[in-house]
Amino acid sequence: MLLRYATCLSIAIAGSMATAEWRGFRGTESTAVATTPAPTSWSDTENIAWKADLPGRGLSSPIIVGDRVFLTASSGGRQDRLHVLCFDDSKGNLLWERQFWATGRTIAHPTTCNAAPTPVSDGQRIYAFYSSNDLVCLDLDGNLQWFRGLTHDYPNASNSLGMSSSLIVAHGVVIAMVENDTDSLTTGIDSLTGEELWKLNRPRKANWTSPVHWKGNTPEDDLVLIQSSAGVVAIAPRTGETKWSFDDGASTVPSLVVADGVAYVPSHGITAIKPGESTPNVAEIVWQEGGLNPGTSSLVVHKDKVYLISDAGVLSCADAKTGKREYQSRLPKGHCSGSPVISGDHLYVFNEEGNGIVVDLTNKGKVVHQHSFGQSILCTAAISEGALYVRSDKTLWKIAAK
């Protein structure tokens, strides 16, 4: 067991060093902030490195590991055909594709689909999750390592609108949120074997948020934050043990973000919390601002500013130290189901009208570029090595300066 944990720890350390990669929903560290700059303009003929056709449907984000781009999709009249695709990053050629049959419930609202959760990687394997509660582990060459149909173990764990919580992998544990109105749970799965290590009974309410990394002073102190209608719990990834919690409720749609030892939670507007000093197992409120109301998009923090987008398409910027709003900026028409990402001093977001929008954060949120792809986009973009990756149901684009 000690040898396995040491192996997992070395993978975690290697993962933290590979910051230019984008290994999961909102990046390797789930911050939505890239370490490399991305193009600030593009068109159908400018700065499009390549595009690739996709099967079926998909809301999940692309992830980038080394020189490969990984993506999931689902197809068929019942959305019961599950796809994992791997593209060559330089040319966009399809290197391999694996397909599986769904074993769980595939019914979802027409806006979403079975391939809504974003896959994750520890740098050696790909973990793909679907609304049907099917969890697939492949190596980077597409060889099946293990498959878990979680509906076999938890037949009542479902959501009539469709599940969309993305995975996280930390210290050799794949953490899957299967939170719903009936048999609601979050589980920790051994990344090497697919065996369940622990299970938490969770609030019985549909939940579409995703887990987030909390980096400790040492790797042994790393935690994972789980958000729900009840609030936030900080758990040890190897055991699922709760280390501290915030119990005053939170949204079940946009996810929190962590920056500089503070978690910014969509709760009563936005509530900034950190571990308590006098009572370590109870979170301390740093500030709470009821006038900051995120819509579907998750939060992002950059250079001591908190950014959020309302359902009305208004970008707000607030001081991360105090919560005081500094400015608002109306974005071009279109609902933003995907979350914003930041590279340099620019914020990128794509909306359901198919528009890619670039915002200058040094000029009070001025929109400096927009381009329509002509296809509805609901995913959150990925950024790696100076390139921006975004997908619709039918197309995956790589946007990079030529």
Side-chain angles (χ1 to χ4, degrees):
M1 180 62 77
L2 286 176
L3 178 61
R4 171 172 292 182
Y5 181 69
T7 301
C8 295
L9 195 59
S10 67
I11 292 173
I13 294 171
S16 66
M17 296 172 63
T19 52
E21 296 183 337
W22 194 275
R23 294 182 179 176
F25 179 57
R26 299 195 294 162
T28 302
E29 307 290 349
S30 48
T31 61
V33 177
T35 58
T36 54
T40 55
S41 66
W42 62 86
S43 68
D44 290 335
T45 57
E46 175 199 10
N47 289 342
I48 301 295
W50 50 259
K51 62 179 182 179
D53 294 335
L54 300 176
R57 296 202 58 202
L59 280 68
S60 58
S61 300
I63 64 172
I64 295 87
V65 184
D67 59 358
R68 298 183 176 190
V69 183
F70 299 89
L71 197 65
T72 61
S74 55
S75 65
R78 297 169 57 89
Q79 288 286 300
D80 55 0
R81 198 64 175 162
L82 312 178
H83 304 250
V84 182
L85 304 106
C86 174
F87 296 90
D88 166 43
D89 181 50
S90 62
K91 300 294 184 183
N93 299 322
L94 181 64
L95 297 177
W96 54 258
E97 177 182 3
R98 301 291 179 264
Q99 296 187 26
F100 305 88
W101 287 112
T103 66
R105 181 175 180 158
T106 60
I107 297 173
H109 187 277
T111 303
T112 184
C113 68
N114 205 356
T118 294
V120 71
S121 175
D122 56 13
Q124 299 186 5
R125 303 168 198 83
I126 300 297
Y127 308 93
F129 195 41
Y130 299 85
S131 176
S132 54
N133 295 335
D134 292 299
L135 176 55
V136 180
C137 176
L138 304 165
D139 68 18
L140 299 185
D141 293 321
N143 299 304
L144 180 65
Q145 305 299 293
W146 48 263
F147 181 102
R148 289 291 307 273
L150 298 181
T151 300
H152 286 296
D153 298 319
Y154 307 105
N156 295 320
S158 66
N159 175 346
S160 61
L161 297 177
M163 315 282 269
S164 67
S165 296
S166 297
L167 299 172
I168 205 170
V169 59
H171 294 266
V173 181
V174 180
I175 296 174
M177 295 173 61
V178 191
E179 305 199 359
N180 55 89
D181 294 324
T182 52
D183 189 4
S184 189
L185 64 113
T186 287
T187 181
I189 305 290
D190 189 307
S191 64
L192 297 179
T193 67
E195 297 174 351
E196 183 176 272
L197 297 174
W198 50 262
K199 173 207 166 192
L200 303 178
N201 294 321
R202 299 287 291 149
R204 291 184 176 181
K205 185 169 183 178
N207 186 1
W208 295 273
T209 65
S210 296
V212 172
H213 291 284
W214 175 281
K215 305 302 290 184
N217 293 326
T218 68
E220 290 82 358
D221 298 324
D222 289 349
L223 302 174
V224 171
L225 304 192
I226 309 293
Q227 178 183 329
S228 74
S229 61
V232 178
V233 292
I235 64 168
R238 290 295 302 176
T239 63
E241 178 187 1
T242 296
K243 297 297 186 179
W244 55 266
S245 66
F246 168 72
D247 302 322
D248 196 24
S251 173
T252 57
V253 180
S255 297
L256 64 86
V257 69
V258 172
D260 299 325
V262 176
Y264 300 85
V265 184
S267 170
H268 306 286
I270 295 180
T271 301
I273 62 173
K274 65 180 183 179
E277 295 183 1
S278 58
T279 309
N281 63 333
V282 178
E284 173 184 315
I285 294 178
V286 180
W287 54 260
Q288 190 172 75
E289 179 50 63
L292 300 173
N293 292 299
T296 304
S297 301
S298 298
L299 309 178
V300 59
V301 172
H302 184 52
K303 294 184 177 179
D304 293 329
K305 309 294 181 187
V306 184
Y307 298 96
L308 60 141
I309 298 173
S310 71
D311 277 335
V314 176
L315 171 70
S316 291
C317 169
D319 188 319
K321 302 294 185 185
T322 64
K324 180 181 179 182
R325 193 196 309 269
E326 298 196 349
Y327 65 79
Q328 291 181 295
S329 173
R330 181 165 292 281
L331 301 178
K333 180 182 177 182
H335 184 258
C336 295
S337 288
S339 297
V341 296
I342 290 177
S343 173
D345 289 318
H346 292 90
L347 179 146
Y348 301 78
V349 68
F350 296 77
N351 66 26
E352 294 185 18
E353 299 291 324
N355 286 313
I357 301 162
V358 184
V359 174
D360 183 354
L361 299 179
T362 67
N363 193 9
K364 295 188 175 182
K366 181 180 179 181
V367 174
V368 294
H369 178 73
Q370 63 173 309
H371 171 75
S372 175
F373 287 96
Q375 302 178 39
S376 183
I377 296 175
L378 286 84
C379 85
T380 297
I383 303 177
S384 178
E385 299 290 355
L388 193 64
Y389 303 80
V390 65
R391 64 92 54 88
S392 65
D393 278 340
K394 300 299 182 185
T395 308
L396 169 66
W397 294 270
K398 177 180 179 180
I399 303 169
K402 293 182 178 178

